[in-house]
């Protein structure tokens, strides 16, 4: 099973959505998971993981999800290689047993060009990083995901789900 996750913040609350699917090319999900978390810490530049990591872990623990890989909206490595981002902290929190792929829409200063992935006819790349899986495999998986546009169908859907939670 594969799990795409995203989080939306409103005031001091987080709304976490997860979409489970079986194959990278799937056009629709097998399952949808939702969680909420209160008393969220304020965003601090350079420490996004401190805000988002507890949210993702809450979703996984609350629903007892054990995926083969997790796709996050963000970076595993901020520079593509060694500077840890949210995904690396998630990978470590899961005892390095579940691969984590980061898909970011905007570059982080110093991100390696090898992390760029162009999908569809878009002239703007996605930035792919990974832990527990070679970058080349992660990029191929994201490239193969359903959808004709820059953002894969299920990643766009999980983003919309967390934003529409009550």
């Amino acid at each position: 099973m594969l799990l795409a996750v995203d989080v939306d913040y409103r005031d001091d609350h987080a709304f976490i959505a997860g979409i489970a699917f079986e194959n990278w090319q799937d056009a629709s999900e097998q399952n949808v998971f939702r969680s909420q978390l209160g008393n969220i810490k304020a965003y601090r530049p350079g420490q996004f993981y401190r805000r988002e990591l507890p949210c993702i872990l809450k979703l996984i623990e609350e629903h007892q999800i054990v995926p083969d890989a997790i796709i996050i909206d963000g970076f595993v490595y901020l520079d593509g290689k060694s500077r840890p981002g949210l995904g690396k902290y998630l990978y470590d929190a899961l005892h390095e047993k579940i691969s984590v792929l980061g898909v970011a829409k905007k570059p982080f200063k110093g991100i390696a060009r090898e992390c760029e992935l162009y999908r569809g006819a878009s002239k703007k790349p996605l930035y792919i990083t990974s832990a527990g899986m070679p970058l080349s495999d992660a990029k191929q998986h994201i490239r193969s995901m359903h959808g004709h546009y820059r953002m894969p169908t299920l990643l766009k859907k999980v983003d919309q789900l967390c934003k529409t939670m009550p």
Side-chain angles (χ1 to χ4, degrees), residues 45-107:
Q47 297 185 357
F48 175 65
Y49 72 92
R50 290 187 186 271
R51 186 174 204 211
E52 189 125 336
L53 182 61
C55 301
I56 296 171
L57 292 175
K58 161 103 174 163
L59 181 86
I60 291 168
E61 291 167 7
E62 183 175 303
H63 298 283
Q64 300 178 353
I65 309 168
V66 185
D68 297 310
I70 299 172
I71 304 99
I72 62 164
D73 177 13
F75 291 92
V76 175
Y77 290 103
L78 301 177
D79 59 0
K81 297 177 182 175
S82 61
R83 188 173 173 203
L86 168 63
K88 174 64 168 126
Y89 290 104
L90 176 60
Y91 182 66
D92 291 346
L94 298 172
H95 310 288
E96 301 180 354
K97 293 181 179 179
I98 299 171
S99 297
V100 178
L101 290 75
V103 178
K105 295 179 261 330
K106 295 180 182 179

Side-chain angles (χ1 to χ4, degrees), residues 21 27 35 41 48 72 95 102-103 122 157:
F21 54 105
S35 295
K41 296 178 182 181
F48 175 65
I72 62 164
H95 310 288
V103 178
S122 180
K157 185 169 186 173

